[in-house]
Amino acid sequence: MQPWKLQPARDTGLTPAERFRSVRRETGLLESLAHHFSFLILRIYLVVAHRLQILGRHHLPAHAPFILATNHCSHLDALSVVAALQARHRERAFPIAAGDVFFQTTPVSVFSAIVLNALPMWRKNCGPHALAELRRKLQGEKCIYVIFPEGSRSRDGHMSPFKHGLGMLVAETPVPVVPCFIGGTFEALPSHRKIPRPTQIKIVMGQPLDFATTANNREGWSQIARSVESAVCNLATQS
Amino acid sequence: MNQITRERLFGFRHAFDDRVTVVLTLAVVVLLFLAPLLILIATRVANSAAEKQKELWDRYRSWIWLSAFILIPILAGAFWTILGVAALSFLCYREYARITGLFRERTISLIVAIGILLITFSVLDNWYRFFLALFPLTVALIATGGLIPDQPKGYIQRVGLGVLGFALFGSAFGHLGYMANDWNYRPILLLIICAVELNDIFAYICGHLFGHRKFVPHTSPNKTAGGALGAIVLTTPLVAIGAHFVWIGTALDNPVRLLGLGVIVSVVGQFGDLMLSSVKRDLGLKDTAKLIPGHGGILDRFDSLILVAPAVFHYVNYFVGFAVGQPQAIFHG
């Protein structure tokens, strides 16, 4: 007789507060329904208030895992990209959000985890261990990450150079990276504003990039950052 | 809905109509007030380590909340009691699904959740035939839902886990809720819950005092035959005395039958505990969650109650019956 494969949730043993802030978090039925509901509301808001336009969605791979790497100038970016995904992809989509903003306190962590399905990235002490955990989760749990390789929101609407972290997640893996450009979110909700303006938001998705043969070392990570950055710049000029 | 049903469901003014309810509520409150003193004395005498002391205080603080969550709905009315049992079912199923990995099977979990909701409706409605029908019907639905992914590999596992989850947390706990359809449900539920919790404590204390022979060393190495027997010897008469006052003058009010009820509470309560120990040991886990400081998960705390609920329900139902004289089909007419 074949033994059963019983695999407890990876977050077993964490307190509720720790769980919401953990990369090991695995969602259950209720949280999953909450994500679908919040993404539906978000999509309605973005379509009505910001006339959300999505170009190149056919470039998205049919199956997870994959990464959406995009420019970043507003809190609306992650919401717009996740809302742009098809319903079957949304449950697996995790925006990688700044731990010091979105996971600082327990109530904010609960909101980020349940409403946004975000995972934390601690910018000040983000060691290789945290990235290794994200890399394992990406492939092991067939996730879709929404990543902002600039590291933080642009203060003037211009794109900053992409950082290595993205490369550390995908180098030497078959996980494709979909470059993505978001326009209009800086005008709608720049970092100094609290309430969004109802300006149009446009998302352009490009052809997936493959880094299976790119070395998983500092040089490879730089190369990945440069090629994704240049792909996003190209999309920006097309839009 | 007639006046009697409304009073049963929401009539908090009847909270202390029965003497057993008054005695048990007072006992819980007095114990909660005395516990800090007992902990202080025990830790001084035993010269316990700081870690052990912290765990005891964590447990005590958690008991304050747990007692409030148990006492308030029961005293407030049958409606709140039934909702409380439904919440307990959901929380326990959630922990079970997460430790076994069943939560990844969304369809099965959804069917179990719908099954628990329907059980709750049948209990609220006092619709016994629907309550009975729900077990085989939900099992059939789980077996059907398991086909949806079109993946025979793992079918027996996901359906088997789903059926066990519904049997334990939907159907078995549903019996606890169904007891609230009895006009005199407050002393019945308080007696069972207090007896089951005391049974655990008696087993622990007797195990420490007389426990030499391991009972089931592979399932739960800390349990001893002395502890198990001690719990039966102490819990049985307590339940029998309490039950005598609850069912005074009924067919159950006979020494042999009352002692039988006591033995059922004690023995089945310990089996419930061992059942969860087996589940955890099979999975290589110590606790089912880290929700209640000092205790672990909800399931760790209420494991002994799972099997007791249907056993006591059907034992009492055989002799006396539950919800006798109460209107049935309250909502669906």
Side-chain angles (χ1 to χ4, degrees):
Chain A
M1 192 173 166
Q2 287 284 316
W4 284 10
K5 285 180 188 159
L6 298 166
Q7 195 184 25
R10 288 186 182 84
D11 51 36
T12 305
L14 299 180
T15 63
E18 287 167 348
R19 182 178 166 266
F20 286 121
R21 305 175 81 183
S22 170
V23 172
R24 277 156 57 194
R25 189 182 76 233
E26 279 194 88
T27 49
L29 181 67
L30 270 184
E31 282 168 84
S32 172
L33 290 174
H35 299 151
H36 279 290
F37 180 72
S38 64
F39 290 151
L40 178 73
I41 301 288
L42 262 174
R43 191 172 168 101
I44 293 170
Y45 162 75
L46 289 163
V47 168
V48 172
H50 297 282
R51 304 183 302 287
L52 180 69
Q53 192 185 3
I54 307 153
L55 300 173
R57 198 157 72 163
H58 59 277
H59 289 308
L60 286 176
H63 302 288
F66 60 87
I67 286 182
L68 279 152
T70 180
N71 59 313
H72 194 22
C73 36
S74 165
H75 281 325
L76 285 175
D77 293 337
L79 308 181
S80 309
V81 173
V82 175
L85 295 173
Q86 287 117 322
R88 69 193 158 91
H89 279 150
R90 279 183 212 151
E91 196 191 328
R92 293 180 182 279
F94 296 89
I96 309 294
D100 48 293
V101 177
F102 289 91
F103 292 89
Q104 194 66 41
T105 61
T106 303
V108 176
S109 303
V110 172
F111 174 83
S112 305
I114 290 184
V115 178
L116 307 177
N117 200 21
L119 291 176
M121 170 66 73
W122 302 94
R123 291 185 286 199
K124 288 193 179 118
N125 53 357
C126 168
H129 174 73
L131 281 162
E133 185 75 26
L134 280 171
R135 183 178 162 113
R136 185 206 54 74
K137 185 183 176 85
L138 175 66
Q139 293 179 86
E141 296 173 30
K142 297 191 168 38
C143 300
I144 298 165
Y145 287 168
V146 177
I147 283 188
F148 305 106
E150 291 167 81
S152 63
R153 284 172 297 166
S154 163
R155 297 296 185 259
D156 56 8
H158 292 102
M159 221 163 76
S160 312
F162 282 14
K163 293 184 174 169
H164 288 171
L166 171 62
M168 294 166 85
L169 295 176
V170 294
E172 287 181 6
T173 74
V175 179
V177 178
V178 180
C180 190
F181 175 76
I182 308 180
T185 50
F186 182 75
E187 289 72 21
L189 187 67
S191 58
H192 58 272
R193 267 185 78 90
K194 294 247 189 273
I195 310 283
R197 279 187 283 250
T199 55
Q200 191 183 20
I201 295 175
K202 190 173 180 181
I203 298 177
V204 191
M205 293 171 183
Q207 285 205 332
L209 306 169
D210 179 76
F211 299 105
T213 54
T214 310
N216 188 16
N217 56 29
R218 189 163 282 277
E219 201 179 314
W221 305 332
S222 298
Q223 193 190 323
I224 292 170
R226 279 197 305 274
S227 41
V228 177
E229 186 181 337
S230 115
V232 175
C233 286
N234 284 341
L235 293 172
T237 53
Q238 286 169 30
S239 69
Chain B
M1 192 191 297
N2 66 15
Q3 187 61 25
I4 295 175
T5 306
R6 198 170 293 120
E7 287 295 320
R8 180 175 59 79
L9 290 177
F10 305 103
F12 59 88
R13 283 185 299 276
H14 298 284
F16 296 109
D17 281 0
D18 193 283
R19 280 175 303 171
V20 178
T21 313
V22 179
V23 170
L24 289 174
T25 310
L26 273 176
V28 171
V29 174
V30 169
L31 263 177
L32 285 177
F33 273 105
L34 283 181
L37 201 66
L38 292 173
I39 294 173
L40 271 179
I41 295 169
T43 48
R44 290 270 165 85
V45 171
N47 202 13
S48 308
E51 201 177 315
K52 187 78 186 165
Q53 284 189 30
K54 187 188 171 297
E55 194 197 319
L56 273 175
W57 285 110
D58 277 349
R59 271 175 178 252
Y60 170 65
R61 273 189 290 272
S62 300
W63 264 121
I64 296 176
W65 289 107
L66 286 170
S67 306
F69 281 124
I70 293 168
L71 278 176
I72 292 170
I74 292 178
L75 295 177
F79 178 80
W80 307 111
T81 307
I82 293 165
L83 287 196
V85 172
L88 182 67
S89 298
F90 275 117
L91 286 171
C92 287
Y93 173 71
R94 181 180 178 274
E95 282 180 6
Y96 162 84
R98 293 194 76 80
I99 58 169
T100 54
L102 181 63
F103 76 104
R104 296 187 187 93
E105 302 288 343
R106 296 284 200 265
T107 316
I108 304 278
S109 275
L110 186 66
I111 295 169
V112 174
I114 292 170
I116 295 175
L117 282 177
L118 288 174
I119 286 267
T120 306
F121 170 74
S122 71
V123 171
L124 270 175
D125 198 42
N126 194 11
W127 187 3
Y128 189 60
R129 282 203 273 185
F130 187 43
F131 178 73
L132 287 182
L134 273 171
F135 183 72
L137 292 180
T138 311
V139 168
L141 209 57
I142 292 169
T144 313
L147 299 168
I148 291 175
D150 190 25
Q151 283 174 352
K153 193 88 185 150
Y155 175 82
I156 299 173
Q157 177 175 330
R158 59 180 177 267
V159 170
L161 284 173
V163 169
L164 180 64
F166 179 72
L168 297 179
F169 312 114
S171 184
F173 267 146
H175 287 81
L176 200 64
Y178 211 96
M179 291 179 196
N181 281 319
D182 199 278
W183 172 257
N184 202 27
Y185 77 91
R186 290 184 178 94
I188 299 174
L189 282 178
L190 284 178
L191 180 68
I192 293 169
I193 296 170
C194 290
V196 164
E197 296 306 328
L198 276 177
N199 192 44
D200 280 357
I201 297 168
F202 289 151
Y204 178 80
I205 295 171
C206 293
H208 270 267
L209 295 176
F210 324 108
H212 302 295
R213 235 179 64 202
K214 299 276 184 207
F215 183 33
V216 271
H218 298 298
T219 305
S220 191
N222 292 331
K223 297 227 168 23
T224 59
L229 282 175
I232 296 172
V233 169
L234 291 172
T235 307
T236 304
L238 270 180
V239 173
I241 293 166
H244 160 68
F245 288 106
V246 173
W247 284 286
I248 201 156
T250 65
L252 190 63
D253 192 16
N254 153 315
V256 176
R257 290 173 184 172
L258 291 173
L259 287 172
L261 181 67
V263 171
I264 286 178
V265 170
S266 183
V267 172
V268 179
Q270 295 186 56
F271 279 139
D273 194 353
L274 290 173
M275 175 192 68
L276 191 73
S277 297
S278 279
V279 171
K280 288 189 290 191
R281 204 149 279 270
D282 196 8
L283 293 161
L285 296 172
K286 187 179 169 290
D287 290 323
T288 56
K290 213 172 167 186
L291 187 69
I292 314 171
H295 294 267
I298 292 270
L299 200 44
D300 291 305
R301 187 61 275 147
F302 291 99
D303 53 1
S304 311
L305 204 56
I306 302 169
L307 304 181
V308 166
V312 167
F313 182 91
H314 291 293
Y315 185 78
V316 173
N317 204 28
Y318 181 75
F319 293 110
V320 188
F322 271 104
V324 178
Q326 290 297 310
Q328 297 200 348
I330 298 163
F331 297 105
H332 85 283

